[in-house]
Amino acid sequence: MKNDDQARFLFGISLTDKPKWQQFLICSSGFFFGYLVNGLCEEYVYNRLGFSYGWYFTFVQGFVYLFLIRIQGFTTKQMVNPWKIYVKLSVVLMCSHGLTKGSLAYLNYPAQIMFKSTKVLPVMVVGAFMPSLRRKYPVQEYVSAVLFVGGLIFFTLADANTSPNFSIIGVIMISGALVMDSFLGNLQEAIFTLNPDTSQMEMLFCSTVVGAPVLLLPMILTGELLVAWKSCSEHPYVYGVLVFEAMATFIGQISVLSLLAIFGAAATAMVTTARKAVTLLLSYLIFTKPLTEQHFSGLLLISMGIVSRLLPDSKPPQRAVKSDNATRRSHRKEMNISSENIADEEKRPLV
């Protein structure tokens, strides 16, 4: 838990004056709603319509974000961080989105979200080594992450047997997205930690403004820009789906940034993992795809990982050990000074 003294709002709802469980419930509900709608829209666009323009769709989504942020009343005058902080963050963010969406052309959606579900492990590893965080996690949380990886292996093997839309290119792309995600969450947490006045709107606005131009390079190099523009012009209703998806995802993005600011990157990654499992089940139920015993085995391991993460632990994650040591030394120094003052008082003659 962090930033306890910083006021946080989610679409006008004050989170500061609510207990932690209510904060968690409100943020998680907004996140689940936004990304469940997002998952269903992506399944429809990529698998049902046969469109696979991940970079272009992310680019269009960015403009919808900027429009919605402007409606919320955010302006650059409200920024508390310099633009240069968001350059690295935006490159990582856009690469993650583009690789994730592009992988759908080679992986069916349930396989793709199961890959993404394992991101909690690299998030924890990066958080442990990032200088501004230096988190330490108990063994229980690493065991939970390993269970997710085991579920991933079972699921992808089963999916390769039942679905033709599965290739090594998709695995490489989604693995790259995992690496980007591991840095993304921790970089965002570091920004919130170093400057608690950073708002969720600022984070999303600056990331989108800086990151959107980055997408032009891969779209031009691959020729996707012209092809996607032509295809979507022939099927203009696709833009309606994309706008609806972006509006839902906007709610999810602001909610997940609230989770990240309050609870940290690893806890947020666990919430996103739970969401992906629910999206997977809905995808199979709505689009009538076959589930095998191996699929169920993978889902069982995922469930075990979630349950093990929710079990209480007597040793919560620690962060900024160096800073904590400095604090303890400061406390000891103050105690020594207090002891010296007491000794001086005792030496004074009574009046």
Side-chain angles (χ1 to χ4, degrees):
M1 309 298 176
K2 43 200 266 327
N3 295 348
D4 293 335
D5 298 329
Q6 172 61 27
R8 292 288 169 192
F9 294 87
L10 181 61
F11 299 113
I13 302 175
S14 175
L15 301 175
T16 309
D17 57 353
K18 292 180 172 55
K20 288 295 182 182
W21 71 269
Q22 288 187 13
Q23 294 177 3
F24 187 82
L25 181 61
I26 293 172
C27 296
S28 298
S29 298
F31 173 72
F32 268 81
F33 167 77
Y35 276 89
L36 284 174
V37 174
N38 167 265
L40 294 175
C41 289
E42 286 188 344
E43 174 77 10
Y44 176 75
V45 171
Y46 281 92
N47 288 349
R48 298 294 169 172
L49 300 182
F51 285 63
S52 57
Y53 311 120
W55 302 106
Y56 182 76
F57 290 166
T58 304
F59 187 71
V60 173
Q61 188 180 59
F63 284 99
V64 179
Y65 283 175
L66 294 178
F67 175 74
L68 294 174
I69 291 172
R70 186 65 185 90
I71 291 179
Q72 293 292 319
F74 179 83
T75 64
T76 54
K77 296 181 180 179
Q78 301 173 19
M79 291 177 56
V80 297
N81 295 306
W83 281 98
K84 63 181 181 180
I85 291 180
Y86 295 102
V87 173
K88 182 188 299 184
L89 179 66
S90 298
V91 172
V92 173
L93 176 63
M94 291 302 168
C95 288
S96 172
H97 283 185
L99 288 170
T100 299
K101 291 179 180 293
S103 68
L104 287 170
Y106 305 95
L107 301 173
N108 71 338
Y109 189 72
Q112 180 257 347
I113 63 173
M114 292 304 291
F115 266 100
K116 295 284 285 185
S117 294
T118 64
K119 74 176 182 180
V120 62
L121 185 55
V123 165
M124 293 168 67
V125 173
V126 172
F129 289 97
M130 184 170 287
S132 57
L133 296 177
R134 294 293 186 186
R135 285 187 172 273
K136 286 190 175 181
Y137 297 97
V139 176
Q140 171 186 323
E141 295 197 20
Y142 284 106
V143 171
S144 173
V146 170
L147 288 173
F148 283 116
V149 174
L152 162 69
I153 294 174
F154 271 90
F155 181 85
T156 52
L157 289 177
D159 194 58
N161 292 329
T162 59
S163 173
N165 197 15
F166 185 89
S167 73
I168 189 62
I169 297 178
V171 173
I172 293 174
M173 293 183 71
I174 200 63
S175 298
L178 279 175
V179 174
M180 294 296 105
D181 280 343
S182 66
F183 283 95
L184 176 61
N186 285 292
L187 286 172
Q188 289 173 323
E189 182 181 354
I191 293 174
F192 282 124
T193 301
L194 296 176
N195 194 342
D197 290 330
T198 305
S199 68
Q200 302 95 306
M201 289 293 175
E202 175 183 334
M203 180 77 73
L204 184 58
F205 173 80
C206 295
S207 300
T208 304
V209 169
V210 178
V214 176
L215 294 175
L216 290 174
L217 180 61
M219 284 194 295
I220 294 174
L221 292 177
T222 60
E224 181 176 313
L225 180 60
L226 295 177
V227 175
W229 174 266
K230 181 179 179 180
S231 298
C232 293
S233 298
E234 295 174 353
H235 305 85
Y237 61 89
V238 173
Y239 285 110
V241 178
L242 292 178
V243 170
F244 179 72
E245 175 191 352
M247 293 173 65
T249 309
F250 176 77
I251 298 174
Q253 280 280 355
I254 298 299
S255 298
V256 78
L257 287 174
S258 301
L259 275 172
L260 199 148
I262 299 172
F263 297 97
T268 302
M270 294 300 296
V271 173
T272 60
T273 297
R275 186 270 303 179
K276 290 179 175 67
V278 174
T279 305
L280 167 68
L281 293 177
L282 288 177
S283 175
Y284 271 101
L285 292 175
I286 294 175
F287 296 103
T288 62
K289 298 178 180 178
L291 279 172
T292 66
E293 292 182 359
Q294 202 162 346
H295 282 108
F296 283 112
S297 298
L299 292 175
L300 178 61
L301 288 176
I302 293 294
S303 300
M304 291 172 62
I306 294 174
V307 172
S308 64
R309 176 62 178 81
L310 295 177
L311 292 176
D313 185 77
S314 58
K315 296 181 180 180
Q318 300 176 359
R319 182 171 56 84
V321 176
K322 183 177 180 181
S323 176
D324 291 343
N325 290 334
T327 303
R328 286 194 289 269
R329 286 195 297 268
S330 177
H331 288 334
R332 286 197 295 268
K333 184 177 180 181
E334 292 174 2
M335 292 176 65
N336 290 335
I337 293 175
S338 299
S339 298
E340 292 173 3
N341 291 337
I342 293 173
D344 291 339
E345 290 290 336
E346 291 177 348
K347 291 178 181 178
R348 292 179 183 175
L350 296 175
V351 179

